[in-house]
Amino acid sequence: MADWASLLPELVQGIANCVLSTTGGVDTYMDMRAVCPKWRTAITRPSPLDAVADLRFRPRVWVMIELTYENYDDKDGCLFLHVPTGRFRRLRLPVLQGHLLVGVSDGLLVLGNREPPHSVCVLNPSTYDMLHFAAPLDKHFKDVLVMYTVVSVGFGSTLVLWTEGKTRVLCAHPTSDVFTEKDIGRSNITMVTSQGNVYYACPDGRVFKIVGPAEQCYDDELVAQMSPDVDLYLEEQDGTRSELVESDGELLLVRHDNNLALKVFKVNIEHKLLEEVKSLGGCRALFIGNQRCVSVDTNKLPSVDGDCIYMSHWMSHSLETSEYDGCAMCVHNIRDGTMKIIVSEPMLHIRPFSLVQVLLQ
């Protein structure tokens, strides 16, 4: 039998680095450190800053199944889905007992302390490292229903918060005493982290990147917009939304309104244009929820159909009549343009939930 503990430390670290460079390799990297004392010594443990700032250590392809943990029970732990393989993993996170989950970004959990002054930290659930921020959250943050959070890499692990209905975003470095306000002039945006950069999309389809800081002054830069010759039947109106989602290495924008009109675009940052997409490659599906947007490999999840977009809280009229039906979970096939309701009121909140429902909750 091979004596794995006798491998040279340089070889062990080299293998671990190769594992880390693969998709979702951070959990395997940390498992390798637990093989034996010699491997634990040979494989470098990331610092709390690296666990957040280094893209290799971010559990970007892990999805936290439930985003609400008001009464966390450490005996059960938290359930995560590995999107590329479809496997599940349950992790015990005792730190949730003293914190509230503010949001999720690239697999990182943004937590707010339950007690004043409501300090904020970013937890990497795969390495159990926490990056603390000096700037406290607003005392009313616990009353906010929907808060989007993203953590950048490109300019120093900046934490960006946006509360639904507000026209400004809040930005802070780990050492910032307070959050800096950046007025974006829009109250209905979506945000995402892609390749370490922070992007947000307006209802009219324009995509911006938040850049900075220069003396704690943040700015936004237009990176993509609709081509003038695109046939748009989605005019900006109440209910029109533009959702950003990273899918298989590409940044996509899903634009829709309450009358079931829907289009998908690839964000071409090089040419600053949105290019319409007619297929997701046949084996990808998008989940557009209130607090997260996820791309999955349908080959690993048999209950999910390829080239489809699953949407939650679809506020629309009936697909058969003109009468208002209220909230519903729907699936849209982008190849043939068909739309069908998966679950409608009052069945939305009746358990047990399917995997599709859980990903959209």
Side-chain angles (χ1 to χ4, degrees):
M1 180 178 293
D3 184 6
W4 295 106
S6 65
L7 289 177
L8 293 176
E10 297 82 0
L11 180 59
V12 174
Q13 180 67 69
I15 296 173
N17 289 339
C18 291
V19 169
L20 190 60
S21 64
T22 62
T23 303
V26 60
D27 60 314
T28 306
Y29 181 93
M30 298 304 294
D31 288 343
M32 288 181 65
R33 297 189 76 247
V35 169
C36 64
K38 288 187 177 180
W39 280 33
R40 190 175 187 85
T41 302
I43 300 175
T44 304
R45 178 182 175 84
S47 67
L49 178 60
D50 287 339
V52 173
D54 192 332
L55 281 178
R56 298 177 305 162
F57 289 108
R58 288 192 176 187
R60 292 180 293 163
V61 292
W62 285 95
V63 176
M64 191 176 186
I65 294 299
E66 290 190 7
L67 293 178
T68 302
Y69 281 91
E70 291 291 340
N71 299 302
Y72 173 75
D73 186 355
D74 191 42
K75 294 180 180 179
D76 296 332
C78 302
L79 187 63
F80 291 81
L81 167 67
H82 190 239
V83 173
T85 62
R87 65 187 175 96
F88 292 87
R89 188 174 189 178
R90 192 173 291 278
L91 298 176
R92 296 180 61 188
L93 301 173
V95 68
L96 288 182
Q97 292 177 327
H99 294 78
L100 290 175
L101 182 63
V102 178
V104 179
S105 173
D106 263 2
L108 304 172
L109 309 185
V110 181
L111 308 176
N113 198 306
R114 295 177 182 268
E115 304 298 329
H118 303 306
S119 59
V120 61
C121 62
V122 178
L123 170 69
N124 185 325
S126 293
T127 68
Y128 295 96
D129 288 299
M130 295 177 63
L131 180 62
H132 294 271
F133 284 73
L137 294 169
D138 184 271
K139 62 181 180 180
H140 300 298
F141 87 96
K142 292 185 289 185
D143 301 325
V144 175
L145 294 179
V146 179
M147 179 180 290
Y148 289 86
T149 61
V150 291
V151 184
S152 75
V153 171
F155 46 94
S157 296
T158 297
L159 175 61
V160 183
L161 307 176
W162 175 73
T163 303
E164 193 171 47
K166 302 292 184 181
T167 60
R168 66 185 187 276
V169 295
L170 304 178
C171 309
H173 274 211
T175 58
S176 303
D177 294 329
V178 296
F179 280 92
T180 300
E181 293 187 3
K182 165 61 183 172
D183 189 359
I184 57 176
R186 295 280 185 169
S187 60
N188 189 15
I189 66 169
T190 58
M191 291 197 306
V192 72
T193 305
S194 179
Q195 301 300 317
N197 297 308
V198 176
Y199 299 94
Y200 73 86
C202 299
D204 60 10
R206 290 180 299 160
V207 180
F208 293 85
K209 180 174 75 171
I210 297 181
V211 296
E215 297 181 355
Q216 297 300 313
C217 180
Y218 297 86
D219 201 359
D220 50 7
E221 170 189 340
L222 179 65
V223 296
Q225 59 184 335
M226 299 288 180
S227 174
D229 58 351
V230 172
D231 179 22
L232 282 181
Y233 58 91
L234 282 173
E235 297 181 358
E236 185 180 358
Q237 56 185 333
D238 291 340
T240 302
R241 289 184 63 85
S242 295
E243 315 278 359
L244 287 172
V245 55
E246 192 174 37
S247 177
D248 201 22
E250 295 183 338
L251 185 59
L252 301 180
L253 181 140
V254 180
R255 195 153 183 258
H256 62 88
D257 65 18
N258 288 339
N259 294 319
L260 306 183
L262 187 150
K263 281 193 174 185
V264 183
F265 299 89
K266 175 185 174 182
V267 180
N268 189 326
I269 296 177
E270 181 180 357
H271 295 96
K272 295 189 174 183
L273 288 176
L274 296 177
E275 303 170 349
E276 188 171 358
V277 173
K278 296 294 187 179
S279 172
L280 298 176
C283 61
R284 306 295 300 186
L286 305 181
F287 285 80
I288 308 299
N290 276 348
Q291 291 182 271
R292 66 178 171 204
C293 297
V294 181
S295 171
V296 302
D297 185 348
T298 57
N299 290 329
K300 308 298 182 180
L301 302 174
S303 61
V304 180
D305 296 326
D307 279 337
C308 287
I309 301 175
Y310 294 81
M311 310 190 73
S312 68
H313 293 88
W314 188 270
M315 305 290 291
S316 69
H317 292 77
S318 170
L319 299 179
E320 290 79 22
T321 70
S322 59
E323 296 181 359
Y324 176 71
D325 274 350
C327 292
M329 290 183 178
C330 294
V331 57
H332 172 84
N333 189 308
I334 66 174
R335 286 174 297 182
D336 57 24
T338 58
M339 176 82 72
K340 67 177 181 179
I341 294 177
I342 303 173
V343 184
S344 59
E345 292 181 332
M347 302 297 292
L348 280 174
H349 308 291
I350 297 179
R351 295 174 181 268
F353 297 144
S354 67
L355 177 60
V356 168
Q357 288 179 267
V358 170
L359 289 173
L360 287 176
Q361 288 292 341

